[in-house]
């Protein structure tokens, strides 16, 4: 289908984008367009105006910042996947970005767009949740706030972003030698996850395990984390992977099937993370 009519304006500065958003409650930001434009073509989204932020150069970077790695929100998935800094310091992020869609999607889609879209089937939100990443959000009058990934995803396609706020940066911890795994169960390499699992091996704070497409947002597998903290082995802990989940039933899989897959995938992810 053809999208409903809309205006278009390209901006070079974040504050200009914020001011245009403030002026028009029906306007929307356009980054890589790989989630928004399909919705517009189906007329599930009908913004009055697209504010194209994709050319804001100073929002595309991966750099060291103290004990964190800072990733500009407009960094494309391909650049995240091929960042030597992330491959060395937080490899789960680079690896997961390399699994997204196909080369075209990875060359257009941005990490900020993926997180702001807040699709529970998206891979990167789950990884950010497991890592305890921080998301930097800018609003009117230069206001800026940092949101923990754990509270950024509020529901289905519902990020903690006001209409006139822009996600500008994602801050991930250096995981160093800590073992990790991201496993994605799907039918074809380019497909979205039917179920996905991000796992970080236990350190001083215990293990971190998060799930993709097992609720209306990315969620921590708290039962698994609790079992591991209590000394359970990965296979025993993974049996609790379905606790607290509410996965969808759709054309790809039933909710019950997803819950069974999650148990298998969590076990494999923990074994991989602990052996790395
Ligand atoms: C064929 C295909 C396969 C895909 N496969 C996968 C997959 O396997 N795994 C996966 O995780 N994803 C997948 N994706 C989604 C992909 O990751 C998208 O690129 C991503 O979801 C959206 O990023 P974008 O930059 O294109 O955002 P856009 O589509 O431009 O924007 C998405 C939404 O976020 C808002 N937005 C964008 N940037 C910002 C910002 N900085 N601040 C605030 N709001 C913002 C927009 O207004 C819009 O509402 C796939 C997409 C396609 C088309």
């Amino acid at each position: 289908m053809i999208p409903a009519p809309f205006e278009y304006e390209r901006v070079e500065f974040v504050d200009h984008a914020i001011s245009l958003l403030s002026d028009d409650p029906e306007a929307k930001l356009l980054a890589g367009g790989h989630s928004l434009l399909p919705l517009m073509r189906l007329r599930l989204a009908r913004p009055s105006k697209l504010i194209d932020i994709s050319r804001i150069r100073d929002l595309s970077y991966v750099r060291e910042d103290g004990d964190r790695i800072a990733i500009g929100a407009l960094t494309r998935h391909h650049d995240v996947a091929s960042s030597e800094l992330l491959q060395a310091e937080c490899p789960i992020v680079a690896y997961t970005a390399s699994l997204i869609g196909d080369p075209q999607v990875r060359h257009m889609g941005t990490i900020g767009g993926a997180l702001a879209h807040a699709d529970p089937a998206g891979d990167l939100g789950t990884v950010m949740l497991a890592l305890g990443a921080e998301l930097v959000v800018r609003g009117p009058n230069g206001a800026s706030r940092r949101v923990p990934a754990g509270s950024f995803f509020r529901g289905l396609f519902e990020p903690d972003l006001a209409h006139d706020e822009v996600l500008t940066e994602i801050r991930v911890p250096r995981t160093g030698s800590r073992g990790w795994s991201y496993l994605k169960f799907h039918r074809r390499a380019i497909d979205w996850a039917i179920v996905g699992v991000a796992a970080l091996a236990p350190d001083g704070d215990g293990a971190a395990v998060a799930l993709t497409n097992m609720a209306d947002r990315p969620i921590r597998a708290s039962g698994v984390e609790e079992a591991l903290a209590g000394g359970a082995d990965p296979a025993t802990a993974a049996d609790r992977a379905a606790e607290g989940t509410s996965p969808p039933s759709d054309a790809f899989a039933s909710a019950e099937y997803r819950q069974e897959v999650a148990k298998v995938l969590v076990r494999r992810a923990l074994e991989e993370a602990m052996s790395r």
Side-chain angles (χ1 to χ4, degrees):
M1 267 171 66
I2 299 171
F6 59 90
E7 289 177 35
Y8 172 87
E9 187 163 347
R10 181 183 291 163
V11 298
E12 290 180 20
F13 301 100
V14 175
D15 288 337
H16 188 193
I18 291 169
S19 130
L20 292 176
L21 285 172
S22 304
D23 290 346
D24 183 349
E26 301 300 324
K28 268 194 146 331
L29 298 175
L30 176 73
H34 269 54
S35 290
L36 181 55
L37 296 183
L39 289 180
M40 288 173 63
R41 288 175 62 188
L42 295 168
R43 301 209 174 189
L44 294 171
R46 300 170 71 117
S48 55
K49 181 179 211 167
L50 287 186
I51 302 164
D52 185 349
I53 57 173
S54 63
R55 308 281 174 96
I56 302 180
R57 285 185 180 277
D58 59 3
L59 281 192
S60 177
Y61 56 83
V62 180
R63 61 185 176 225
E64 296 182 272
D65 190 0
D67 61 349
R68 297 243 161 187
I69 306 296
I71 310 169
L74 287 176
T75 312
R76 313 260 179 201
H77 301 316
H78 169 80
D79 296 323
V80 171
S82 49
S83 159
E84 288 180 11
L85 182 58
L86 284 170
Q87 286 167 1
E89 298 287 349
C90 196
I92 191 171
V93 175
Y95 174 75
T96 305
S98 79
L99 300 180
I100 291 176
D102 54 29
Q104 182 182 341
V105 175
R106 293 195 291 276
H107 276 89
M108 287 303 293
T110 65
I111 187 169
L115 297 174
H117 191 54
D119 185 338
D123 299 297
L124 289 170
T126 308
V127 168
M128 295 305 150
L129 187 62
L131 283 169
E134 287 175 343
L135 288 81
V136 183
V137 173
R138 192 138 113 211
N141 307 316
S144 176
R145 61 194 179 96
R146 288 188 182 188
V147 186
S151 56
F152 184 76
F153 303 103
R154 297 197 302 199
L156 192 67
F157 303 115
E158 197 193 334
D160 179 6
L161 279 174
H163 173 71
D164 53 2
E165 288 183 318
V166 177
L167 174 60
T168 55
E169 187 177 271
I170 297 91
R171 299 171 62 77
V172 296
R174 297 170 192 265
T175 49
S177 58
R178 190 176 182 190
W180 59 274
S181 174
Y182 186 77
L183 295 182
K184 180 170 171 173
F185 181 74
H186 50 182
R187 291 188 179 163
R188 300 172 305 167
I190 59 165
D191 283 344
W192 296 77
I194 292 173
V195 179
V197 176
L200 294 168
D203 67 356
D205 296 328
V209 183
L211 303 170
T212 305
N213 220 358
M214 290 297 289
D216 64 354
R217 68 198 82 178
I219 54 167
R220 292 286 281 258
S222 310
V224 176
E225 293 175 346
E226 200 180 282
L228 289 168
D233 60 75
T236 310
D239 271 343
R240 295 182 60 183
E243 278 181 27
T245 64
S246 49
S249 285
D250 55 28
F252 299 104
S254 66
E256 295 74 21
Y257 181 78
R258 282 189 161 91
Q259 287 178 323
E260 289 307 311
V261 170
K263 293 178 193 172
V264 176
L265 227 52
V266 165
R267 174 178 55 74
R268 291 181 188 167
L270 285 171
E271 287 169 353
E272 185 171 62
M274 290 175 181
S275 63
R276 260 195 170 119

